[in-house]
Amino acid sequence: MQRTVTVASRVGLHARPAAVFVKAASAATLPVTIAKEGKEPVSARSILAVLGLDVRGGEDVVLEAEGDGAEDVLERLAELLTEDLEG
């Protein structure tokens, strides 16, 4: 199951917003990947991998998870990304 989300934080997935996102992904019961157009999907549980995507504010990312509860996990993570996580 996939979900495309536009990142709302002005700084994108850097520093605090990335840490908040990775913490939430790590708490999920299923493995989740995150990808940016032109880049390979990476584990959403790895802060270094997420930072390495160099996602900027306003860019789209694709979240993917499989298994029981995938829809709920993707919904929670998508909601996080549509918030300004800098504050």
Side-chain angles (χ1 to χ4, degrees), residues 34-40 53-56 59-62:
I34 181 170
K36 180 174 142 177
E37 185 175 333
K39 300 221 178 182
E40 290 294 315
L53 288 175
D54 193 31
V55 177
R56 314 248 174 181
E59 290 185 325
D60 289 340
V61 294
V62 177

Side-chain angles (χ1 to χ4, degrees), residues 24-48:
S26 296
T29 56
L30 303 170
V32 179
T33 61
I34 181 170
K36 180 174 142 177
E37 185 175 333
K39 300 221 178 182
E40 290 294 315
V42 299
S43 171
R45 295 177 176 177
S46 168
I47 188 74
L48 292 178

Side-chain angles (χ1 to χ4, degrees), residues 7-87:
V7 175
S9 292
R10 290 185 310 278
V11 297
L13 283 179
H14 298 281
R16 186 174 189 283
V20 170
F21 173 77
V22 168
K23 183 177 180 181
S26 296
T29 56
L30 303 170
V32 179
T33 61
I34 181 170
K36 180 174 142 177
E37 185 175 333
K39 300 221 178 182
E40 290 294 315
V42 299
S43 171
R45 295 177 176 177
S46 168
I47 188 74
L48 292 178
V50 171
L51 290 172
L53 288 175
D54 193 31
V55 177
R56 314 248 174 181
E59 290 185 325
D60 289 340
V61 294
V62 177
L63 303 175
E64 187 169 354
E66 297 297 329
D68 289 341
E71 188 172 339
D72 291 337
V73 168
L74 293 180
E75 180 67 26
R76 282 194 305 273
L77 293 175
E79 284 178 18
L80 267 181
L81 294 177
T82 60
E83 297 175 17
D84 186 353
L85 299 175
E86 296 171 76

